[in-house]
């Protein structure tokens, strides 16, 4: 039996009507749900017969914060949003004090859930205070059976938070004390919101006016029709969320706050208000927790709607299908970060490119393996599917061919989506003294090693930037980019250009949440030696030197898999320049602190 | 090896008595691998699996070894993070559902040596299935190039290239001297047959004397990527063991390749036995 004050209050179930214009969701049907003296404004999108996904907004927001995510989910699900009491077009309790307790918010949730999905449990999604509330919904007994799954972002359970603080205060080791201080500093606004009247005055005055600008500047939220005009009252009323709950719950956290539904946790790594450490003990409260990390700031529903819609959709679908054998998250390291993302790797038929594609596949990413060698690219895609990629495709393209790259980008956009991680890896080797290198040789090596990277960055980077939801570009440079040598003048030049291109592009795209990394592998055991050109020697001699180089690289035997790991790590930590092998790191150090040593080494004539 | 140089046609399926002896031991070893593999279940450790092989063969009269049985489970099948040879020895790693495993043993019976490797997995593992299927190309490649009398080092490199094309890592490089194969021979039967670091002393003695002869004549009983293997195939019995690795999953087969000094390509080299579990598996897959 479901009970609760929310059930007893009358509910007015009017037929849905279109939302008024200017709300950010003109295609939604709106209705009002009445509970405990409050009228809640509820918006619905999509087919009501589909599974219901309920999106709960945070502070200071209204349901329109979800508009972009809701639109992306509406074709697959019955999407429901509502203005929390006191926010948006829902009415506020009188008096405000004591009207925002988690118990009352739970009543609201049950009333809305019963109105929009009386027979089936709903899939909850909460952001910020919406997630804080939803944790309460997901952990109290009276909602059991009404929630099918819960996706949480940027809002911990106050009970879990209380236990988190107690554990750290109880035995404040240096590490734990640092975690406490860190989160304590991030919570500055919570203290301010507890002062009487001041927050209301600020929100209704200058802060309310400046807030949209602050969001755009500091939080990188795209402009447009959000926040809505109701912001000052939303924010003023919402202050009572903190005053009614925070002190009470943190002081006396519930001991039985265990989730009774599957939970997916999405952690924005750049969140200015919540430390990632807050979720360290979460597995204790939520068994089978699925973790995701997202390189973004706090307002992810505005800044990363594509990624959120993908993860929510995947999680909800998996729970609806109820197939326990089908894991949502892949098993590899960084699966929380790359699961479901679209990764394009050039030069993916062999060596570092192939190993990189496999590493991303293991992390659950969708893979596009691009190479001139059709068979090799198809093989990479094939194997990628075996080890965890939900989807993988092989594409045959020569990266130096601009038109072909444009065509590929159009195809990718139309069929697979926007690329989240681009790895410009394709490259060829060329060895021989400068005076023996013909202009034809130069053209060939620059076409692939430099122009290939330029085309990739320009064509796919443009689409990434246009989408405005971040991403990452990895360019494979080389240790030869900073290590001069008399045997690789053309190759080194091309790679030095790639290194500088990456650095410049990194500066340009930083503001748009797109990271750029230059990888400098060093001597890695790949097929590049077997196909490298050696200038100024006979064909026979070239064959001999290729075999010799291949043997030398084989003796060194640094596996491309380690470079692939370095690439994933570099993307996760957004590193700028990553030398990989010890010799590459050594040369990188020398190039900065003892460049004359490197120049002396460059003069050495290696035995042929 | 006199008997091998006069081996009768492999095509007719008739082998000299001596080769038959080797084939019997190889079959016995594969029967052991299949019997032990059938008994593996979750929770069995590598040590237990190795002991099961040892006991099974001991019951059937095996008293000497080229090397004692090995068992590798999970990512140890791909020798992940192997740095010292001691890591080859069986550990307390427990088998879990879906895990690949490799049983590798080299019993000596009636003076004949076998050295076999058996790959399997507990339950479903699509990656492992693919690895096993892709091993077939290596078996064909090795036989073809040995018949062409290509230098062993070049064949080694061709196998390497095929692995790279398939997307795999060469894991036999992790074996001592990085060998893809080594010679095996008759072993004198003694009442006492001690082992040294898992290897039978009699067999080691044979290998050492081969190495000495080879060193004088310009060949080596170890088939490695190094210059000492830069010679055409030496007549004799070679235990060939290509070992593929792919991100924490490894698979290999190991069986005896007979090399003779016959001029007829068919007779110059042939697999001692074509009725082996992995070969049957490929045939069944083709038939299906």
């Amino acid at each position: 039996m479901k009970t609760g004050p929310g059930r007893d209050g009358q509910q007015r179930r009017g037929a849905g009507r279109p939302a008024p214009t200017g709300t950010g969701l003109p295609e939604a049907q709106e209705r009002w749900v009445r509970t405990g003296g409050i009228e809640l404004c509820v918006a619905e999108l999509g087919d009501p017969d589909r599974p219901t996904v309920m999106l709960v907004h945070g502070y200071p927001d209204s349901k329109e914060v979800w508009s972009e995510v809701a639109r992306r989910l509406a074709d697959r699900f019955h999407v429901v949003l509502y203005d929390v009491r006191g926010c948006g077009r829902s009415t506020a309790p009188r008096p405000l004090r004591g009207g925002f307790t988690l118990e009352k918010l739970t009543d609201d949730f049950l009333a809305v859930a019963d109105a929009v999905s009386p027979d089936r449990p709903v899939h909850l999604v909460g952001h910020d205070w919406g997630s804080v509330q939803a944790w309460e919904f997901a952990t109290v007994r009276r909602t059991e059976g009404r929630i099918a799954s819960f996706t949480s972002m940027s809002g911990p359970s106050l009970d879990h938070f209380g236990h988190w603080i107690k554990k750290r205060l109880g035995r404040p080791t240096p590490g734990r004390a640092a975690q406490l201080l860190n989160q304590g500093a991030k919570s500055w606004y919570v203290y301010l919101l507890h002062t009487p009247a001041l927050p209301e005055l600020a929100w209704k005055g200058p802060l309310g006016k400046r807030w949209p600008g602050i969001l755009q500047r500091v939080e990188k939220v795209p402009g447009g029709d959000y926040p809505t005009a109701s912001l000052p009252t939303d924010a003023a009323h919402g202050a009572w969320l903190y005053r009614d709950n925070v002190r009470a719950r943190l002081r006396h956290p519930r001991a039985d706050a265990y989730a009774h539904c599957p939970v997916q946790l999405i952690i924005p790594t750049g969140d200015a208000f919540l430390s990632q450490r807050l979720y360290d003990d979460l597995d204790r409260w939520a068994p089978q927790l699925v973790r995701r990390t997202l390189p973004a700031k706090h307002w992810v529903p505005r800044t990363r709607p594509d990624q959120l819609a993908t993860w929510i959709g995947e999680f909800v679908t998996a729970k609806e299908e109820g197939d326990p054998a089908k894991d949502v998250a892949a098993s590899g390291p960084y699966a929380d970060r790359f699961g479901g993302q679209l990764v394009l790797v050039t030069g993916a038929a062999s060596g570092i490119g192939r190993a990189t594609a496999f590493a991303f596949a293991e992390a659950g990413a969708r893979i596009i393996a691009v190479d001139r060698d059709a068979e090799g690219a198809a093989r990479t895609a094939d194997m990628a599917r075996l080890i965890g990629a939900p989807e993988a495709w092989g594409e045959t393209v020569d990266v130096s061919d601009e038109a072909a790259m444009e065509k590929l980008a159009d195809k990718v956009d139309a069929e697979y989506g926007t690329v989240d991680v681009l790895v410009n890896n394709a490259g060829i080797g060329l060895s021989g003294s400068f005076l023996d290198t013909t202009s034809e040789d130069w053209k060939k090596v620059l076409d692939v090693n430099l122009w290939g990277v330029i085309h990739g960055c320009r064509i796919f980077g443009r689409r990434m930037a246009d989408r405005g939801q971040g991403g990452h570009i990895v360019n494979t440079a080389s240790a030869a980019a900073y290590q001069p040598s008399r045997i690789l003048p053309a190759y080194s030049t091309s790679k030095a250009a790639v290194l500088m291109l990456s650095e410049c592009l990194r500066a340009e795209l930083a503001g748009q949440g797109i990271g750029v990394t230059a990888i400098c592998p060093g001597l890695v055991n790949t097929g590049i030696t077997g196909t490298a050109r050696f200038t100024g020697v006979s064909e026979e001699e070239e064959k001999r030197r290729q075999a010799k180089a291949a043997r030398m690289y084989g003796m060194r035997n640094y596996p491309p898999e380690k470079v692939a790991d370095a690439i994933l790590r570099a993307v996760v930590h957004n590193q700028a320049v990553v030398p990989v092998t010890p010799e590459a790191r050594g040369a990188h150090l020398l190039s900065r602190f003892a460049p004359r040593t490197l120049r002396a080494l460059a003069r050495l004539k290696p035995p042929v | 090896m006199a008997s091998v140089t006069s081996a009768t046609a492999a095509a007719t399926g008739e082998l000299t008595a001596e080769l038959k002896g080797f084939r019997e031991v190889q079959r016995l070893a594969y029967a052991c691998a299949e019997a032990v593999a059938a008994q593996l279940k979750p929770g069995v450790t590598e040590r237990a699996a190795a002991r099961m092989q040892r006991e099974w063969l001991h019951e059937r009269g095996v008293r000497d070894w080229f090397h004692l049985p090995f068992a590798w489970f999970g990512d140890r099948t791909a020798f992940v993070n192997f740095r010292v040879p001691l890591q080859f020895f069986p550990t307390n790693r427990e088998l879990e559902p879906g895990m690949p495993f490799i049983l590798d043993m080299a019993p000596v019976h009636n003076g004949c040596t076998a050295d076999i490797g058996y790959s399997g997995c507990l339950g479903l593992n699509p990656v492992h299935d693919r690895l096993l299927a892709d091993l077939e190309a290596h078996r064909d490649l090795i036989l073809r190039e040995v018949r062409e009398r290509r230098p062993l080092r070049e064949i080694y490199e061709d196998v390497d290239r095929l692995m790279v094309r398939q997307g795999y890592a060469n894991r036999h490089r992790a074996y001592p001297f990085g060998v893809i194969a080594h010679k095996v021979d008759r072993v004198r039967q003694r009442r006492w047959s001690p082992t040294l670091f898992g290897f039978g002393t009699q067999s080691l003695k044979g290998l050492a004397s081969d190495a000495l002869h080879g060193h004088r004549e310009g060949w080596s009983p170890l088939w490695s990527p190094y210059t000492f293997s830069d010679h055409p195939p030496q007549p004799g019995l070679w235990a060939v063991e290509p070992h593929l690795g792919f991100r924490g999953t490894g698979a290999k087969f190991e069986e005896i390749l007979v090399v003779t000094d016959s001029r007829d390509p068919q007779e110059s080299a042939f697999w001692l036995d074509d009725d082996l579990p992995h070969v049957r598996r490929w045939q069944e897959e083709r038939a299906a």
Side-chain angles (χ1 to χ4, degrees):
Chain A
M1 261 317 279
K2 301 166 219 157
T3 55
R7 302 305 147 104
D8 310 329
Q10 308 109 335
Q11 294 165 7
R12 203 170 67 204
R13 292 189 188 177
R17 56 196 153 87
T21 49
T23 58
L25 275 169
E27 66 271 42
Q29 297 286 315
E30 279 198 353
R31 65 158 116 183
W32 299 85
V33 172
R34 197 189 161 96
T35 163
I38 305 281
E39 297 230 6
L40 296 173
C41 177
V42 181
E44 293 176 76
L45 291 90
D47 180 358
D49 292 334
R50 299 272 175 94
T52 302
V53 176
M54 195 186 283
L55 308 170
V56 191
H57 71 79
Y59 173 89
D61 290 316
S62 58
K63 65 178 182 306
E64 283 74 21
V65 74
W66 286 114
S67 58
E68 293 297 322
V69 177
R71 255 181 224 128
R72 286 164 172 80
L73 291 171
D75 56 339
R76 286 172 288 167
F77 305 108
H78 175 216
V79 182
V80 176
L81 319 87
Y82 68 96
D83 284 321
V84 173
R85 51 172 61 200
C87 301
R89 300 197 300 125
S90 295
T91 60
R94 293 276 156 225
L96 291 167
R97 180 188 297 272
F100 286 86
T101 58
L102 287 169
E103 291 75 19
K104 291 188 175 162
L105 296 169
T106 310
D107 296 342
D108 291 355
F109 159 70
L110 282 170
V112 176
D114 284 348
V116 297
S117 173
D119 312 318
R120 294 167 72 184
V122 300
H123 296 272
L124 256 181
V125 180
H127 171 246
D128 189 85
W129 253 94
S131 169
V132 176
Q133 300 179 41
W135 269 113
E136 173 81 2
F137 311 159
T139 55
V140 293
R141 292 281 86 86
R142 62 184 168 128
T143 55
E144 232 166 300
R146 294 297 294 141
I147 304 174
S149 80
F150 168 37
T151 298
S152 161
M153 50 197 93
S154 293
S157 156
L158 289 183
D159 300 303
H160 302 164
F161 195 0
H163 287 293
W164 187 87
I165 293 174
K166 277 196 172 162
K167 187 172 164 188
R168 277 149 188 80
L169 280 179
R171 237 176 116 233
T173 60
R176 287 173 166 186
Q179 291 176 12
L180 260 184
L181 288 174
N182 180 283
Q183 180 56 49
K186 287 186 166 171
S187 295
W188 55 271
Y189 63 100
V190 179
Y191 318 137
L192 288 185
L193 282 166
H194 278 82
T195 55
L198 267 178
E200 279 88 340
L201 279 176
W203 279 114
K204 288 185 173 160
L207 186 56
K209 235 176 264 137
R210 301 239 172 95
W211 189 246
I214 295 175
L215 277 187
Q216 280 181 42
R217 230 180 17 256
V218 182
E219 285 289 328
K220 309 290 179 203
V221 172
D225 53 3
Y226 192 82
T228 51
S230 62
L231 171 75
T233 45
D234 298 348
H237 288 154
W240 287 99
L241 288 168
Y242 291 87
R243 294 168 186 161
D244 276 351
N245 297 301
V246 171
R247 271 174 302 171
R249 285 300 176 102
L250 292 192
R251 232 178 263 153
H252 307 289
R254 284 160 49 214
D256 62 343
Y258 296 99
H260 48 65
C261 60
V263 181
Q264 169 173 246
L265 176 73
I266 299 175
I267 308 175
T269 50
D271 199 317
F273 309 107
L274 295 158
S275 153
Q276 291 182 52
R277 298 267 78 85
L278 273 181
Y279 309 104
D280 282 356
D281 314 327
L282 200 56
D283 297 85
R284 179 187 152 200
W285 301 105
Q288 298 165 1
L289 180 74
V290 174
R291 285 173 186 267
R292 308 281 196 189
T293 54
L294 192 54
K297 297 195 164 200
H298 182 75
W299 263 272
V300 279
R302 301 306 301 174
T303 56
R304 298 287 184 270
D306 280 345
Q307 185 64 72
L308 292 191
T310 308
W311 282 341
I312 295 168
E314 254 178 48
F315 192 63
V316 169
T317 309
K319 297 306 154 200
E320 280 293 317
E321 287 169 358
D323 184 359
K326 203 176 147 192
D327 281 335
V328 177
S331 58
Y334 306 124
D336 57 331
R337 171 72 169 72
F338 297 114
Q341 293 207 327
L342 187 61
V343 177
L344 186 145
V345 184
T346 68
S350 63
I352 295 173
R354 182 177 253 178
T356 305
F358 289 157
F360 276 111
E362 250 179 3
R366 299 180 299 141
I367 306 293
I368 306 171
V370 178
D371 205 288
R372 271 190 311 187
D373 167 10
E375 198 185 318
R379 171 93 189 171
T380 302
D382 195 20
M383 301 296 290
R385 275 190 298 269
L386 272 185
I387 54 172
E391 296 172 293
W393 306 272
E395 297 285 349
T396 318
V397 173
D398 182 349
V399 292
S400 61
D401 181 347
E402 184 176 4
M405 286 290 273
E406 285 276 6
K407 221 172 105 189
L408 172 70
D410 289 338
K411 181 180 176 190
V412 167
D413 243 6
E415 294 178 21
Y416 317 138
T418 309
V419 173
D420 292 299
V421 180
L422 167 70
V423 184
N424 287 309
N425 165 74
I428 54 172
L430 178 70
S431 177
S433 74
F434 173 80
L435 294 179
D436 286 337
T437 309
T438 62
S439 62
E440 204 46 44
D441 291 329
W442 272 99
K443 214 170 121 27
K444 225 182 258 169
V445 80
L446 289 181
D447 268 354
V448 178
N449 291 7
L450 179 56
W451 276 104
V453 175
I454 294 176
H455 294 323
C457 288
R458 208 173 48 76
I459 296 169
F460 287 98
R462 147 84 52 217
R463 287 164 161 82
M464 218 182 254
D466 283 349
R467 177 178 64 160
Q469 296 185 36
H472 203 101
I473 298 176
V474 178
N475 294 330
T476 306
S478 166
Y482 45 76
Q483 180 176 19
S485 79
R486 58 185 295 167
I487 52 166
L488 297 166
Y491 180 78
S492 302
T493 306
S494 71
K495 290 301 188 182
V498 170
L499 180 62
M500 184 46 81
L501 166 71
S502 309
E503 295 259 35
C504 296
L505 195 61
R506 185 179 171 88
E508 182 175 334
L509 296 179
Q512 299 171 61
I514 299 175
V516 181
T517 298
I519 296 279
C520 306
L523 295 184
V524 178
N525 191 10
T526 71
I528 197 167
T529 47
T531 54
R533 269 239 341 106
F534 289 77
T535 59
V537 294
S538 68
E539 211 165 292
E540 206 171 296
E541 173 67 8
E542 183 172 30
K543 279 257 149 27
R544 195 187 68 78
R545 291 197 188 177
Q546 281 175 352
K548 194 172 170 212
R551 269 179 199 151
M552 191 185 81
Y553 277 54
M555 295 291 171
R556 173 69 184 86
N557 203 18
Y558 195 91
E561 285 77 17
K562 282 198 182 175
V563 183
D565 292 343
I567 289 179
L568 265 71
R569 211 165 36 240
V571 176
V572 168
H573 300 296
N574 191 15
Q575 292 164 299
V577 180
V578 183
V580 184
T581 60
E583 58 271 16
R585 283 130 117 48
H588 193 235
L589 265 181
L590 284 180
S591 73
R592 298 204 305 197
F593 300 112
R596 284 175 60 163
T597 317
L598 272 194
R599 284 179 205 132
L601 285 174
R603 292 184 177 200
L604 291 180
K605 200 167 180 182
V608 285
Chain B
M1 183 165 187
S3 60
V4 174
T5 55
S6 60
T8 50
T12 60
E14 282 180 39
L15 300 173
T16 61
E18 179 149 29
L19 284 183
K20 271 186 192 151
F22 279 99
R23 195 177 62 185
E24 284 318 306
V25 196
Q26 181 163 298
R27 286 195 175 165
L28 182 72
Y30 266 106
C32 168
E34 288 190 304
V36 171
Q39 293 173 51
L40 292 180
K41 52 179 188 288
V44 173
T45 63
E46 289 180 353
R47 281 168 194 252
R51 192 168 49 243
M52 282 151 77
Q53 298 171 55
R54 216 166 51 231
E55 284 167 0
W56 196 96
L57 288 168
H58 189 85
E59 281 166 17
R60 283 153 187 83
V62 170
R63 293 294 177 272
D64 194 7
W65 304 86
F66 180 85
H67 65 71
L68 289 170
F70 290 104
W72 303 299
F73 294 169
D75 65 3
R76 282 175 48 83
T77 56
F79 304 149
V80 172
N81 295 329
F82 274 37
R83 301 204 192 288
V84 290
L86 284 177
Q87 286 173 291
F88 285 107
F89 289 108
T91 65
N92 285 323
R93 162 81 59 100
E94 289 185 3
L95 197 61
E96 292 165 19
M99 247 190 196
F101 61 81
I102 294 177
L103 306 176
D104 188 312
M105 70 197 91
V108 177
H109 193 45
N110 297 332
C112 297
T113 311
D115 193 346
I116 66 132
Y118 178 91
S119 303
C121 58
L122 195 66
L124 287 178
N125 187 329
V127 174
H128 184 262
D129 289 352
R130 177 64 67 89
L131 280 163
L132 264 188
D134 287 335
L135 271 171
E136 185 176 14
H138 292 278
R139 194 172 185 263
D140 298 343
L141 173 89
I142 291 167
L143 181 60
R144 190 174 63 244
E145 299 203 343
V146 168
R147 283 179 173 168
E148 289 166 8
R149 286 292 186 263
R150 301 269 306 277
L152 294 182
R153 190 188 191 193
E154 275 184 39
I155 305 179
Y156 190 103
E157 282 166 2
D158 284 346
V159 170
D160 244 17
R161 267 191 282 276
L162 177 57
M163 284 185 178
V164 166
R165 213 163 48 242
Q166 290 173 332
Y168 301 134
N170 163 357
R171 291 320 297 156
H172 46 260
R173 192 180 266 280
Y175 293 131
F177 302 101
V179 295
I180 188 176
H182 56 83
K183 274 192 75 176
V184 292
D185 216 329
R186 287 201 73 91
V187 172
R188 193 175 300 172
Q189 287 171 284
R190 295 283 168 98
R191 241 180 315 163
W192 187 56
S193 46
T195 56
L196 187 67
F197 294 111
F199 285 82
T201 45
Q202 292 298 321
S203 303
L204 282 180
K205 223 169 80 187
L207 210 54
S209 96
D210 259 358
L212 190 66
H213 283 146
H215 184 70
R216 289 181 187 145
E217 295 162 18
W219 58 273
S220 162
L222 300 176
W223 183 343
S224 77
Y226 306 111
T227 35
F228 62 73
S229 290
D230 214 351
H231 60 81
Q234 176 74 13
L237 301 182
W238 291 84
V240 182
E241 45 181 339
H243 192 144
L244 309 179
F246 183 58
R247 311 197 76 81
T249 305
K252 70 179 279 191
F253 68 79
E254 181 168 13
E255 55 176 303
I256 288 179
L257 177 73
V258 184
V259 179
T260 71
D261 52 10
S262 163
R263 278 168 198 277
D264 176 13
Q266 295 294 317
E267 251 190 83
S268 68
F270 52 89
W271 295 106
L272 179 61
D273 191 358
D274 275 324
D275 189 21
L276 297 177
H278 50 275
V279 184
R280 283 199 297 271
R281 185 190 161 105
W282 296 327
Q283 283 162 354
E284 281 160 20
E285 271 169 11
R286 258 198 306 277

